[in-house]
Amino acid sequence: MMKFGSKNSTNTPIKCTIRLLDDSQLLDSEFQINEKGSSLISRICEQLDLIEKDYFGLRYVDSKRQRHWLEPSKSIFKQIRDMEADNILFSFRVKFYPPNPFRLKEDITRYQIYLQLKRDLLHGRLYCNTSEAALLGAYILQAELGDYNPEEHIDNYVNELKILLKQTLQLEEKIMDIHKNELKGKTAAEMETIFLKKACVLDTYGVDPHAVKDQRGNQLYLGINHTGILTFQGSKKMNHFSWSQVQKINFEGKMFIIHIILNEKKQTIGFKCPRGSSCRHVWKCAVEQMLFFTFPSSSDVPNVVSGGGFFSWGTKFKYSGRVEREILEDVTITRESPTVTRVGSLRRKSSSEPPTPSNLVINQVAGFNSLPRSLTNTSEEYNASIDSSNQIDNSSVLETLLEDQEIMTSKIEQEVHHEEILNDHLLIDFTTVTDSSPLIQSISNQMSGQKHLETTAIRNSGSSLSFLRQTLLPVIFALFMIVLIVIIVLESDFDIIATIRKAPEIAAFKKNYYEPSKDFLLRRFIRSKIF
């Protein structure tokens, strides 16, 4: 097994596997040791015939099970050097979800957005109430299977298909009813369009949940998308910091910090991440999303630095690529839109499928033991809570998983590997959202004392570590430097400094303060030890 850095790897192309949005599709590729991420991303988009490639990226999981986006401007080798050279997996994913998919110029790009949203629904990231879940599930069914056929679609034909993370019997019946009675004659392209129109207006469109904690240690989840930064507690969206409110984003250690303008007043709100590496990942995601969706031109985007302390360098981030406005205003795309090749990708439930590693890895995450709900919940628990059609309409059965707890086959027909493990190996429970319950309260009301205020803020970076790094350490260092300069001036033999010592003020300071202090320290700490 060859590790990066060995003599054999320096001049040899490095092989890798690219998993596409349809998990059944894998691409074999390779890159040179000095090749940048943008080159590999462009090559994959070229194979997929995608011109609007700026919305997509490659994601990977490092040896410490931390997810990363492959940075286009950096060497691939330097980003993944701790990985085994013969087991490199990248996942092709939508990185920037377009606010309006119908402003995209090509159908083939929209189809990739559809595939991403379909897997978001399957993994629980695109959570919604059961009425919406049933509609989206039925749209997928019509797009994949076509019209209802009583000879082919018998009994509970949805039960063996994987559409949603949690599929109760009642929900499956509702999906089949819509598929049978409301969607007849609709083509796959029409259903994908309807699906996109429905999905892109959901609150969790484009949201990738990141596990954090608030000041009181309550479990929260941050979501970052084109609208701003959102916070969730359990199944409720607590507040939404729009990009127009956000003035600055930075991190210190495990603390992710947002500086916002609220009611014409500056506020600082912080969240604690489980690890420093996950905090840095959240910060990078937030910065990239903010720059991509808010700046008019990539030439206007500044370099961003954060995370530095008195004794450590900050993390520098340089944005690479175009911003959304440049993509939408691009008039160079003049080709005839290529034909979309659709692949039926509905996965079937299989008893031979390896179990997910959720139960194994959740207990390994220090400090995050009290989770809302895990995948070990049985469907009977959901069935017990859904007894009528009204309850079906007003309950959510989606239980969110931080996407990539996914199963891949790295050696086809041989060995199955678990890849792209959860970002923080955590689960979110989205089982209590109702159609009628408000998801967002006014942020100003929360700041003035509403009950769910307790879910979000660590005001003014109030941790002792932050105070220590920002205040005490600089003061101590300044005092140390002053003492050092005084000693150099009053004790050294350099001619230039001797001239300074002759100044009346310096001579008076030496006689009245320096010499007495020096004698005291010598008597107290040195001579006492000698005698």
Side-chain angles (χ1 to χ4, degrees):
M1 185 175 294
M2 183 176 65
K3 283 279 191 178
F4 286 123
S6 66
K7 293 182 180 180
N8 295 330
S9 67
T10 54
N11 299 316
T12 305
I14 303 168
K15 296 185 181 298
C16 63
T17 301
I18 312 296
R19 181 169 54 190
L20 303 182
L21 286 164
D22 175 8
D23 278 340
S24 63
Q25 292 183 296
L26 299 175
L27 294 179
D28 291 325
S29 187
E30 61 181 30
F31 58 90
Q32 298 295 328
I33 197 167
N34 58 350
E35 192 171 348
K36 291 186 177 181
S38 58
S39 177
L40 181 59
I41 296 171
S42 296
R43 197 153 61 245
I44 300 305
C45 288
E46 190 174 314
Q47 286 184 263
L48 296 174
D49 207 9
L50 293 171
I51 292 182
E52 298 169 287
K53 61 184 180 181
D54 301 86
Y55 293 99
F56 304 93
L58 294 176
R59 193 160 56 197
Y60 66 95
V61 181
D62 65 20
S63 60
K64 297 179 181 178
R65 298 190 292 189
Q66 173 61 49
R67 287 192 306 174
H68 301 274
W69 286 104
L70 187 68
E71 295 191 34
S73 60
K74 291 185 178 181
S75 164
I76 302 173
F77 166 73
K78 290 182 179 179
Q79 297 181 65
I80 63 167
R81 59 172 51 186
D82 65 335
M83 298 173 65
E84 295 176 354
D86 56 352
N87 190 26
I88 302 171
L89 172 71
F90 294 107
S91 293
F92 180 78
R93 298 289 179 260
V94 175
K95 188 175 184 180
F96 303 107
Y97 290 70
N100 182 359
F102 299 98
R103 295 189 68 187
L104 297 172
K105 293 180 172 61
E106 297 196 328
D107 291 337
I108 195 169
T109 313
R110 267 187 293 275
Y111 179 66
Q112 295 295 326
I113 304 296
Y114 162 76
L115 291 178
Q116 177 70 70
L117 290 171
K118 190 173 69 168
R119 59 179 297 112
D120 287 349
L121 187 65
L122 172 62
H123 290 281
R125 288 156 35 113
L126 186 68
Y127 83 88
C128 49
N129 60 56
T130 51
S131 296
E132 295 166 329
L135 280 172
L136 293 175
Y139 297 158
I140 293 173
L141 213 59
Q142 178 70 19
E144 301 279 344
L145 304 183
D147 290 342
Y148 171 79
N149 186 337
E151 295 181 359
E152 295 180 8
H153 306 139
I154 57 176
D155 298 329
N156 186 354
Y157 59 96
V158 177
N159 181 257
E160 62 179 9
L161 303 175
K162 298 175 70 173
I163 300 176
L164 307 172
L165 183 62
K166 286 291 183 178
Q167 294 181 195
T168 63
L169 177 60
Q170 290 86 348
L171 182 57
E172 290 172 346
E173 289 175 348
K174 191 164 187 177
I175 291 174
M176 290 186 292
D177 181 65
I178 297 173
H179 177 222
K180 178 180 178 180
N181 299 313
E182 300 180 22
L183 305 177
K184 186 175 182 180
K186 300 288 186 181
T187 65
E190 290 175 322
M191 295 317 306
E192 290 161 12
T193 298
I194 297 172
F195 181 95
L196 288 174
K197 286 181 179 179
K198 183 70 176 177
C200 72
V201 298
L202 295 176
D203 291 323
T204 49
Y205 173 72
V207 165
D208 185 8
H210 302 275
V212 295
K213 285 187 176 182
D214 68 1
Q215 186 179 16
R216 294 175 175 83
N218 297 321
Q219 185 73 61
L220 299 179
Y221 297 91
L222 287 182
I224 306 165
N225 64 9
H226 64 278
T227 64
I229 300 175
L230 306 91
T231 62
F232 296 86
Q233 185 178 42
S235 60
K236 295 182 179 179
K237 186 166 76 173
M238 304 309 297
N239 47 29
H240 175 204
F241 307 110
S242 66
W243 291 130
S244 62
Q245 292 176 307
V246 177
Q247 302 298 302
K248 181 182 176 182
I249 306 168
N250 67 303
F251 76 96
E252 294 181 11
K254 298 180 181 180
M255 292 297 300
F256 175 67
I257 303 166
I258 310 169
H259 304 264
I260 63 171
I261 299 293
L262 184 65
N263 296 330
E264 299 182 352
K265 294 182 180 180
K266 292 184 177 180
Q267 301 281 348
T268 304
I269 302 175
F271 306 93
K272 186 177 181 180
C273 300
R275 297 181 306 277
S277 59
S278 59
C279 188
R280 185 165 55 251
H281 175 67
V282 173
W283 173 74
K284 281 187 176 181
C285 289
V287 169
E288 281 192 291
Q289 295 284 328
M290 184 177 186
L291 298 177
F292 183 83
F293 289 111
T294 61
F295 272 73
S297 170
S298 56
S299 61
D300 298 327
V301 175
N303 292 340
V304 184
V305 179
S306 183
F310 182 70
F311 293 112
S312 63
W313 297 103
T315 297
K316 185 177 180 179
F317 176 77
K318 183 178 181 180
Y319 182 82
S320 176
R322 297 186 297 176
V323 298
E324 188 200 25
R325 184 175 298 182
E326 291 175 318
I327 301 169
L328 296 176
E329 294 175 354
D330 186 1
V331 296
T332 62
I333 301 178
T334 57
R335 70 173 184 176
E336 184 178 348
S337 185
T339 303
V340 178
T341 302
R342 293 175 170 84
V343 180
S345 58
L346 275 181
R347 285 186 271 175
R348 295 182 179 273
K349 299 176 183 177
S350 173
S351 58
S352 62
E353 181 178 334
T356 60
S358 59
N359 297 334
L360 172 64
V361 296
I362 287 173
N363 295 329
Q364 298 174 357
V365 183
F368 286 81
N369 295 325
S370 55
L371 299 176
R373 191 189 295 264
S374 72
L375 281 180
T376 55
N377 290 351
T378 62
S379 59
E380 285 77 15
E381 292 176 302
Y382 288 98
N383 294 339
S385 64
I386 305 175
D387 297 321
S388 67
S389 59
N390 290 335
Q391 287 173 309
I392 291 176
D393 289 337
N394 296 321
S395 303
S396 170
V397 300
L398 297 184
E399 190 174 294
T400 295
L401 180 61
L402 296 189
E403 191 203 3
D404 298 313
Q405 183 170 321
E406 300 156 355
I407 299 167
M408 69 151 297
T409 305
S410 62
K411 295 180 181 179
I412 298 177
E413 297 178 353
Q414 294 183 22
E415 183 180 359
V416 175
H417 293 281
H418 293 293
E419 248 316 327
E420 277 205 310
I421 304 175
L422 302 177
N423 181 21
D424 295 302
H425 317 302
L426 296 173
L427 303 171
I428 311 172
D429 176 20
F430 289 121
T431 59
T432 58
V433 178
T434 64
D435 289 334
S436 59
S437 64
L439 288 178
I440 304 179
Q441 297 282 344
S442 163
I443 298 178
S444 59
N445 288 340
Q446 293 177 17
M447 294 294 180
S448 64
Q450 300 226 353
K451 284 186 178 181
H452 59 260
L453 169 66
E454 61 188 23
T455 60
T456 15
I458 300 174
R459 300 286 195 281
N460 301 318
S461 307
S463 68
S464 59
L465 175 62
S466 177
F467 176 76
L468 179 67
R469 296 178 66 181
Q470 293 181 3
T471 308
L472 291 184
L473 289 180
V475 169
I476 293 172
F477 180 73
L479 292 176
F480 172 76
M481 292 302 297
I482 291 172
V483 171
L484 182 62
I485 292 171
V486 169
I487 293 174
I488 292 174
V489 170
L490 298 180
E491 297 290 345
S492 65
D493 296 328
F494 296 112
D495 293 338
I496 298 176
I497 297 179
T499 303
I500 298 175
R501 270 202 308 270
K502 293 178 181 179
E505 295 84 357
I506 301 297
F509 173 79
K510 181 177 181 180
K511 179 179 179 181
N512 297 328
Y513 299 101
Y514 180 75
E515 292 293 351
S517 300
K518 177 182 175 181
D519 291 340
F520 170 77
L521 292 174
L522 289 174
R523 288 195 308 270
R524 180 71 178 82
F525 296 105
I526 299 179
R527 291 175 184 173
S528 61
K529 294 181 179 180
I530 296 176
F531 298 103

